[in-house]
Amino acid sequence: DTGVSQDPRHKITKRGQNVTFRCDPISEHNRLYWYRQTLGQGPEFLTYFQNEAQLEKSRLLSDRFSAERPKGSFSTLEIQRTEQGDSAMYLCASSLHAGGETQYFGPGTRLLVL
Amino acid sequence: GENVEQHPSTLSVQEGDSAVIKCTYSDSASNYFPWYKQELGKRPQLIIDIRSNVGEKKDQRIAVTLNKTAKHFSLHITETQPEDSAVYFCAASGETSYDKVIFGPGTSLSVIP
């Protein structure tokens, strides 16, 4: 499968625990995006990378969230001290170049914080 | 920043009828407008997109129109089929190096057989 992949697909955790998600973009895609989607809403932008550089981070993202893309390939999204409000689907997408290019989404990681 | 609104939030049509979903955006610098379809439990998938140098684009039963002056764009689905039932998201972005795609809240389309 040469599409965007994410791991894990589902994660259940207790409030206060840390979680880390991984995204593997389509190879050679320079841009990688993280979104959060809650039920009945559109994907909400969190952050994005151009190669290994994190170019923008949403103001909605608290300092408990951090993302990395150390080698310009896969990316990780970590949530520290999870809260029940963090429960959502976390989607990753990649595109070949800058804005104006099709974003291809991964299957998402569904997080449930108890 | 960019803000994208979408109407209606839910839409029911009889099989074979047409469906129209309308979106507005706030940033006049936006010039790329993709539409995504998301079936229940699945990832969003691009179905059609349009750029600001084009007023209309068609792909089989799907068409998108863009009015840059009014900052409106619309999705038209003709001869709807039950498999068209899904949530549809419009989105907008610019083409400068550091822009991002902003999604609308979605329209849940139900096609009744």
Side-chain angles (χ1 to χ4, degrees):
Chain A
D1 185 356
T2 56
V4 179
S5 61
Q6 292 185 244
D7 183 71
R9 296 290 305 277
H10 304 273
K11 179 70 177 179
I12 300 174
T13 191
K14 293 182 179 179
R15 189 175 49 188
Q17 298 295 304
N18 299 343
V19 294
T20 300
F21 309 143
R22 176 179 170 126
C23 171
D24 286 88
I26 294 172
S27 60
E28 299 178 355
H29 275 195
N30 296 326
R31 280 221 167 176
L32 187 149
Y33 304 79
W34 284 101
Y35 293 88
R36 177 171 60 193
Q37 187 176 27
T38 53
L39 196 63
Q41 299 296 319
E44 178 184 45
F45 169 79
L46 295 179
T47 188
Y48 74 97
F49 294 83
Q50 174 78 23
N51 298 314
E52 66 274 9
Q54 187 174 15
L55 298 185
E56 189 169 347
K57 187 175 176 180
S58 169
R59 287 172 292 177
L60 300 174
L61 218 56
S62 75
D63 56 7
R64 297 184 296 106
F65 289 71
S66 62
E68 294 182 342
R69 195 183 183 196
K71 299 182 180 179
S73 56
F74 73 91
S75 175
T76 58
L77 177 69
E78 181 183 16
I79 309 174
Q80 296 182 326
R81 304 181 303 281
T82 52
E83 302 173 356
Q84 288 185 327
D86 297 331
S87 297
M89 174 74 84
Y90 290 84
L91 291 164
C92 174
S94 70
S95 67
L96 187 57
H97 294 302
E101 296 280 347
T102 301
Q103 291 191 17
Y104 296 88
F105 281 85
T109 295
R110 184 170 294 282
L111 172 66
L112 178 61
V113 182
L114 301 176
Chain B
E2 176 66 278
N3 181 54
V4 177
E5 296 185 350
Q6 185 171 348
H7 300 280
S9 57
T10 59
L11 180 60
S12 269
V13 299
Q14 289 291 133
E15 182 178 359
D17 288 350
S18 296
V20 180
I21 302 170
K22 298 182 178 181
C23 290
T24 61
Y25 61 98
S26 60
D27 187 352
S28 57
S30 291
N31 53 11
Y32 173 64
F33 307 93
W35 285 87
Y36 284 82
K37 175 184 180 182
Q38 187 174 30
E39 297 177 17
L40 189 63
K42 296 190 176 180
R43 71 189 78 186
Q45 291 195 307
L46 181 78
I47 55 171
I48 196 168
D49 56 13
I50 191 167
R51 300 176 193 276
S52 61
N53 59 346
V54 175
E56 183 174 359
K57 184 177 179 181
K58 190 174 182 180
D59 182 4
Q60 300 182 332
R61 297 186 296 108
I62 295 173
V64 58
T65 59
L66 172 65
N67 182 332
K68 281 223 74 178
T69 302
K71 292 189 278 189
H72 290 173
F73 58 115
S74 300
L75 178 73
H76 303 252
I77 306 174
T78 59
E79 301 172 17
T80 53
Q81 302 167 1
E83 51 265 38
D84 294 330
S85 297
V87 179
Y88 292 80
F89 295 101
C90 61
S93 82
E95 287 189 353
T96 56
S97 298
Y98 303 113
D99 281 349
K100 58 187 183 286
V101 174
I102 301 299
F103 285 81
T107 295
S108 178
L109 173 65
S110 297
V111 179
I112 304 165

